[in-house]
Structure formats: C-alpha cells, structure tokens
C-alpha cells in the first residue's frame, strides 16, 4: 500500500481535469495517512469522513468529466458513465458497511480504492484524450 504520485503519465491533456485528478489523488493519499496514523478506537469515524469526502469529490469530478466527454461527442460515454456509477456504488457500500459495523477500512480495502483510481485515470480516462486531440485539431 502506498501513496499515489501524480506525474505526466496521468495527464489527460485537459488542465481542469488534471487538477481534479490531483485533488482526487490527494483525498486518497489522505485516507492512506488516516489509515496508517490513527488509533483503532477513532478509526471508523475518521475513515467514514474520509470516504464521504472521496464519494462527494468523485461525484463532482465525474459530473464535470461526463459533461466534457459529452462535448467531445465521446462514443463510449455510456460505458464510461456506468464505470463512474460503479465507483460511486463501491464507495457508498464501504461507507454503509463501516457504519453498520460489517467491515472496517483495512489495507485490502484501501488497495481496491487505490487500484481503481490509478487504473481508471490511466486506462479509461486516457481513452477520451484521443477525441480531445481530434476535436482541437478541427478548431485550427
Ligand atoms: Fe472517468
Ligand atoms: Fe477522471
């Protein structure tokens, strides 16, 4: 388990979306810190807050990104939307399960979030960059 460090390989060539991805990663890194540094008695409350922050930010970011993809006439928008909803459901489920005591935020759960985030930016989000490039070349 480790931090995510944003570098150019994560860029989707849209400054606003890159900024949002950095913020999203910062929220993840904060969850990572909370996990490592907190006593177990207060862990659930703090992790729930962190996961709520992740959930709210992801929703905000996804909305922005979906509008952007729609402007690009991105052909895989419906599929990409579905993947975004999957992430929201995943985080929502974790929040519910922690609240009801069914689970705790542990290293394997953090790993799932980390892998999802990295994979999503590097694989799914990267796919629309091709359309952004075509789109901007049409403008010139
Ligand atoms: Fe996305
Ligand atoms: Fe994204």
């Amino acid at each position: 388990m480790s931090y995510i460090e944003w570098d150019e390989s994560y860029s989707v060539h849209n400054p606003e979306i890159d900024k949002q991805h950095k913020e999203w990663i910062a929220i993840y890194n904060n969850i990572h810190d909370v996990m490592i540094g907190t006593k177990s008695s207060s862990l659930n409350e703090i992790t729930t807050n962190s996961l709520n922050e992740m959930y709210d930010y992801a929703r905000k970011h996804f909305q922005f990104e979906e509008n952007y993809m729609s402007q690009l006439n991105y052909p895989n928008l419906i599929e990409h939307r579905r993947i975004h909803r999957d992430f929201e459901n995943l985080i929502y489920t974790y929040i519910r399960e922690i609240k009801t005591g069914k689970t705790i935020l542990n290293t394997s759960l953090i790993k799932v979030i980390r892998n999802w985030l990295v994979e999503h930016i590097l694989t799914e989000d990267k796919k629309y960059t091709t359309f952004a490039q075509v789109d901007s070349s049409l403008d010139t």
Side-chain angles (χ1 to χ4, degrees):
M1 198 170 68
S2 56
Y3 278 142
I4 302 172
E5 307 264 8
W6 193 93
D7 62 40
E8 279 304 315
S9 69
Y10 284 82
S11 177
V12 294
H13 309 295
N14 175 304
E16 176 58 31
I17 293 181
D18 282 347
K19 199 180 98 193
Q20 292 180 10
H21 284 160
K22 285 176 195 170
E23 179 63 28
W24 195 20
I25 286 171
I27 293 169
Y28 162 79
N29 285 338
N30 187 46
I31 294 178
H32 172 275
D33 275 352
V34 163
M35 250 312 284
I36 300 299
T38 314
K39 289 189 197 114
S40 57
S41 56
S42 55
L43 188 63
N44 273 359
E45 192 188 333
I46 294 169
T47 50
T48 304
N49 290 342
S50 304
L51 285 177
N52 275 324
E53 191 187 4
M54 167 68 79
Y55 181 79
D56 289 344
Y57 195 81
R59 277 178 65 109
K60 203 172 94 181
H61 167 64
F62 291 159
Q63 200 170 28
F64 184 93
E65 199 174 66
E66 285 164 25
N67 284 337
Y68 176 66
M69 289 187 287
S70 154
Q71 282 164 22
L72 294 177
N73 293 317
Y74 180 57
N76 297 327
L77 176 59
I78 291 172
E79 168 70 3
H80 200 127
R81 265 203 188 117
R82 192 190 55 74
I83 296 170
H84 283 169
R85 297 296 88 77
D86 284 349
F87 183 78
E88 290 166 6
N89 289 337
L90 178 81
I91 300 298
Y92 187 75
T93 303
Y94 285 161
I95 294 170
R96 296 292 310 162
E97 287 185 351
I98 290 168
K99 257 188 196 153
T100 55
K102 262 193 212 155
T103 190
I104 52 157
L105 192 67
N106 52 30
T107 48
S108 61
L109 211 134
I110 293 262
K111 217 174 181 175
V112 171
I113 298 174
R114 184 189 196 283
N115 290 345
W116 199 100
L117 211 155
V118 170
E119 276 288 307
H120 186 74
I121 298 175
L122 292 180
T123 309
E124 288 309 317
D125 287 353
K126 282 281 183 179
K127 289 180 186 169
Y128 63 66
T129 60
T130 330
F131 291 85
Q133 278 150 16
V134 169
D135 195 57
S136 60
S137 69
L138 288 174
D139 291 343
T140 53

